[in-house]
């Protein structure tokens, strides 16, 4: 697909004046007579379906769950006392840098009323300080200066211990080359190389690596650097974020589904894909509800179903490509334990609290403080909806001792909840998130496959832009649609990202002046 990078334009998708526009290829505004099956009704699949349907393509979305949203879905549950409520896989942060995702949601919700801003996301170190991201300037470098000045963990004195040249590698980026330059380097090793202050490591690892449900020793340093750049040192959108104002289905996906229904998209929920037949004249998708004949298919599934389809469809590609998909790894399992308790935390409890050093507990979320349906239950009962997260679990996530330990750590962080009666619970264990591990970046599969009728999308699919998590899902979904549209002579969707190169012109001259570590191969010199 032909892209023009960094095209100037007066309009911006957010507040960052240096956001980069990646123009889609030119072409006709609409396509006639084309049909595409999108396998997977999560963010990637919905993004692909939206771009295609808006241009006249007939789209079928096949989703194995009863609800849309994929790993960002919600579903009904009934508590022990008979109360009906909802459950999900934990909170998701909708950062202001998520340009594609937010553009997708705006199709049905132009003012983004389905999202709600959070005031802070404090990070608490056991027997140590708590860091806050509120009241810190958004625009670099003032955000970095403000954070260091305010942080009780990352002290100004610590800056003298940091390897300056290595630290400037966080500023001296050029995507996608930066991903390649850090092949084989873990996030933990990268921070070691920087001589990152020990007490401050939880800020980097809990905010970034843990967000990927990954062990820092198995998580790519390239991905870590991209996240530092996207969320902090390279973007003026800030580190704070929005969350869904209600359960995901009510706030996000039902409105978007109505929009897509008006465009003619057909949804097949509670339906699994069992096989593909890819031919020169089209694709037959076999599902548990029958066959769908179409021109092309976008595989926007979780990793395990994708690998199953690739393993059973030899015509999808050669052995090297197939191995690039089949060898992808999952992150370790994680736990989301939602508890309906009969009492409230003390006033002023944060909506979200990242925790480090509290045994297996990584996050505590007060769901009733930001989700409308949970807030209604709280007003009715006087109780709270508390969610405990444990990421990258190394032992048995179903071990009763882990559950007991999470409860103990909750009471340690919020002692006022100790002894509360549990009115209901949902203990969710999952292991279905892809991990960006230490394998060469170039060996990971991209949206493009050896067969022009088949595209991939999802947060585990390689994208050479500095995007990740939900935004990588939305971006790859749109890229998959763009590639199909390009092949049919139609115009795709322009995409936006944080800057692809250093935000500041002085970074490379200063780094060259230091002269200790040469610029990585492939870096363009500053003109």
């Amino acid at each position: 697909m032909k892209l023009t990078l960094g095209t100037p334009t007066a309009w911006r998708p957010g507040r960052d004046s240096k956001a980069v526009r990646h123009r889609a290829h030119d072409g006709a505004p609409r396509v006639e007579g084309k049909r595409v099956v999108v396998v997977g009704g999560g963010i990637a699949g919905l993004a692909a379906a939206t771009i295609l349907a808006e241009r006249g393509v007939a789209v079928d979305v096949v989703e194995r769950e009863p609800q849309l949203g994929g790993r960002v879905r919600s579903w009904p549950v009934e508590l022990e006392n008979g109360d009906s409520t909802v459950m999900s896989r934990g909170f998701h942060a909708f950062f202001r840098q998520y340009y594609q995702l937010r553009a997708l949601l705006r199709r049905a919700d132009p003012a983004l009323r389905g999202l709600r801003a959070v005031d802070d996301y404090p990070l608490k170190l056991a027997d140590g300080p708590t860091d806050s991201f509120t009241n810190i300037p958004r625009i670099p470098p003032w955000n970095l200066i403000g954070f260091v000045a305010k942080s009780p963990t990352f002290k100004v004195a610590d800056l003298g211990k940091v390897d300056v040249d290595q630290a400037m590698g966080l500023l001296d980026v050029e995507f996608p080359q930066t991903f390649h330059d850090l092949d084989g380097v873990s996030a933990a090793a990268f921070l070691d190389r920087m001589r990152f202050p020990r007490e401050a490591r939880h800020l980097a690892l809990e905010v970034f690596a843990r967000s990927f449900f990954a062990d820092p020793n198995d998580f790519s340093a390239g991905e870590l650097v991209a996240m530092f750049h996207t969320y902090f040192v390279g973007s003026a959108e800030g580190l704070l974020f929005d969350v869904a104002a209600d359960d995901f289905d009510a706030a996000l996906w039902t409105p978007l589904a109505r929009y897509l229904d008006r465009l003619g998209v057909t949804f097949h929920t509670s339906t699994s894909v069992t096989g593909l037949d890819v031919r020169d004249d089209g694709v037959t998708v076999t599902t548990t509800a029958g066959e769908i004949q179409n021109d092309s298919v976008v595989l926007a599934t979780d990793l395990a179903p994708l690998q199953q389809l690739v393993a059973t469809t030899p015509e999808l590609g050669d052995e090297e490509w197939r191995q690039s998909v089949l060898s992808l790894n999952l992150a370790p399992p994680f736990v989301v334990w939602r508890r309906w308790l009969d009492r409230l935390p003390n006033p002023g409890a944060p909506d979200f609290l990242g925790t480090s050093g509290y045994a297996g507990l990584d996050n505590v979320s007060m769901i009733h403080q930001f989700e409308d349906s949970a807030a209604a239950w709280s007003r009715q009962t006087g109780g709270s909806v508390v969610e405990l997260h444990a990421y990258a679990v190394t032992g048995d996530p179903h071990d009763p001792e882990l559950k007991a330990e999470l409860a103990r750590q909750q009471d340690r962080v919020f002692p006022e909840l100790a002894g509360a009666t549990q009115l209901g619970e949902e203990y969710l264990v999952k292991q279905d998130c892809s991990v960006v591990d230490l394998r060469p970046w170039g060996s990971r599969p991209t949206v493009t496959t050896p067969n022009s009728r088949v595209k991939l999308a999802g947060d585990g699919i390689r994208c050479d832009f500095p995007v990740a998590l939900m935004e990588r899902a939305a971006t790859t979904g749109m890229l998959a649609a763009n590639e199909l549209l390009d092949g049919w002579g139609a115009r795709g969707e322009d995409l936006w990202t944080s800057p692809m190169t250093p935000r500041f012109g002085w970074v490379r001259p200063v780094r060259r002046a230091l002269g200790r570590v040469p610029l990585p191969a492939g870096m363009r010199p500053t003109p």
Side-chain angles (χ1 to χ4, degrees):
M1 183 175 67
K2 302 178 288 294
L3 291 174
T4 302
L5 305 185
T7 305
T9 179
W11 183 83
R12 289 289 185 275
R15 60 177 291 160
D16 192 349
S17 63
K18 294 191 176 183
V20 175
R21 180 186 186 185
H22 305 268
R23 286 185 59 87
H25 50 270
D26 291 326
R30 289 181 65 80
V31 174
E32 300 296 336
K34 297 296 182 183
R35 177 175 291 276
V36 173
V37 171
V38 175
V39 183
I43 290 173
L46 293 173
T50 298
I51 303 308
L52 292 168
E54 287 175 342
R55 287 150 181 84
V57 178
V59 178
D60 291 85
V61 175
V62 182
E63 168 56 47
R64 66 182 176 183
E65 300 291 348
Q67 303 84 17
L68 298 175
R71 296 200 298 271
V72 192
R73 71 182 181 97
S74 57
W75 59 93
V77 296
E78 186 172 299
L79 304 184
E80 286 87 336
N81 64 357
D83 286 351
S84 296
T85 183
V86 291
M87 178 62 183
S88 68
R89 295 163 54 107
F91 90 90
H92 286 69
F94 293 77
F95 286 92
R96 285 74 186 261
Q97 295 91 329
Y98 286 2
Y99 299 133
Q100 274 69 254
L101 177 56
R102 295 167 81 89
L104 175 66
L105 297 176
R106 282 193 178 99
R107 259 68 174 196
D109 181 11
L112 292 180
R113 292 189 177 90
L115 298 181
R116 177 172 294 156
V118 299
D119 295 328
D120 197 7
Y121 179 27
L123 300 170
K124 183 173 178 59
L125 181 64
D127 302 320
T130 298
D131 276 280
S132 168
F133 296 104
T134 193
N135 297 324
I136 292 175
R138 289 189 183 187
I139 299 176
W142 306 112
N143 58 356
L144 185 59
I145 294 170
F147 175 73
V148 171
K150 183 180 177 181
S151 172
T153 300
F154 201 122
K155 303 177 178 63
V156 174
D158 291 330
L159 294 177
K161 306 172 186 175
V162 172
D163 185 302
V164 175
D165 187 75
Q166 294 290 343
M168 287 194 68
L170 293 173
L171 305 177
D172 189 5
V173 296
E174 182 160 338
F175 296 101
Q177 186 61 44
T178 293
F179 291 123
H180 297 281
D181 292 332
L182 290 168
D183 278 348
V185 181
S186 72
F190 182 83
L191 294 179
D192 288 341
R193 183 187 297 176
M194 280 178 56
R195 297 199 296 269
F196 205 78
R198 181 168 297 278
E199 280 198 350
R201 287 174 72 97
H202 79 290
L203 292 172
L205 297 180
E206 263 59 35
V207 171
F208 297 108
R210 287 298 197 182
S211 298
F212 294 78
F213 309 110
D215 186 307
N217 291 295
D218 300 321
F219 180 65
S220 165
E223 192 84 330
L224 181 73
V225 170
M227 294 307 95
F228 268 114
H229 172 77
T230 302
Y231 297 131
F232 202 45
V233 297
S235 171
E237 304 293 356
L239 255 178
L240 293 181
F241 49 81
D242 302 322
V243 294
D246 202 350
D247 70 85
F248 297 131
D249 191 58
L252 308 177
W253 309 130
T254 292
L256 184 60
R258 292 195 191 105
Y259 170 79
L260 292 174
D261 182 68
R262 292 194 294 271
L263 292 176
V265 173
T266 301
F267 293 99
H268 309 264
T269 54
S270 301
T271 303
S272 296
V273 171
T274 58
L276 297 176
D277 179 17
V278 184
R279 307 176 309 278
D280 291 341
D281 63 344
V283 181
T284 300
V285 178
T286 302
T287 78
T288 51
E291 293 184 347
I292 307 174
Q293 305 293 334
N294 58 100
D295 295 283
S296 297
V297 63
V298 177
L299 301 179
T301 71
D302 289 340
L303 179 56
L306 172 63
Q307 290 177 327
Q308 178 65 25
L309 287 171
V310 169
T312 57
T313 315
E315 63 267 30
L316 280 185
D318 58 25
E319 184 58 31
E320 181 180 359
W321 178 83
R322 291 160 60 79
Q323 189 59 31
S324 74
V325 175
L326 297 175
S327 62
L328 292 175
N329 292 319
L330 291 171
F334 64 92
V335 169
V336 174
W337 183 17
R338 187 171 292 193
R339 311 180 74 196
W340 286 263
L341 305 178
D342 69 344
R343 70 177 68 165
L344 292 166
N346 289 336
D351 293 344
F352 310 100
L353 181 68
T355 54
S356 180
Y358 288 89
L361 182 66
D362 291 297
N363 179 277
V364 182
S365 301
M366 298 296 174
I367 306 296
H368 63 282
Q369 296 184 176
F370 57 89
E371 279 193 10
D372 288 343
S373 56
W377 182 88
S378 176
R379 288 192 298 270
Q380 178 183 350
T381 64
S384 58
V385 185
V386 181
E387 194 169 86
L388 310 180
H389 294 184
Y391 306 139
V393 177
T394 55
D396 179 4
H398 298 280
D399 186 349
E401 179 52 35
L402 172 61
K403 193 175 185 181
E405 184 60 45
L406 292 176
R408 286 193 291 269
Q409 296 302 326
Q410 171 205 278
D411 295 346
R412 181 181 171 195
V413 179
F414 294 100
E416 68 270 25
L417 295 178
T421 299
Q422 183 172 278
L423 304 177
E425 67 168 344
E426 287 287 319
Y427 189 82
L428 184 70
V429 176
K430 288 290 184 180
Q431 187 180 11
D432 54 7
C433 296
S434 299
V435 63
V436 181
D437 53 23
L438 308 188
R439 74 184 59 216
W441 180 256
S443 71
R444 302 183 68 86
T446 66
V447 164
T448 304
T449 78
N451 192 303
S452 62
R453 293 187 181 274
V454 181
K455 307 300 176 186
L456 305 184
D459 61 5
I461 302 304
R462 185 181 117 207
C463 177
D464 287 341
F465 299 153
V467 293
L469 299 171
M470 292 190 293
E471 180 68 352
R472 182 175 286 152
T475 301
T476 54
M478 293 183 181
L479 285 171
N482 281 358
E483 287 203 359
L484 291 175
L485 293 167
D486 188 17
W488 298 326
R491 177 174 171 76
E493 183 84 354
D494 290 355
L495 306 179
W496 288 84
T497 68
S498 298
M500 302 283 285
T501 55
R503 189 175 184 91
F504 309 107
W506 51 262
V507 169
R508 288 184 179 167
V510 168
R511 200 172 188 208
R512 285 198 297 268
L514 291 173
R516 290 184 295 161
V517 179
L519 287 176
M523 290 289 197
R524 295 195 305 266
T526 303

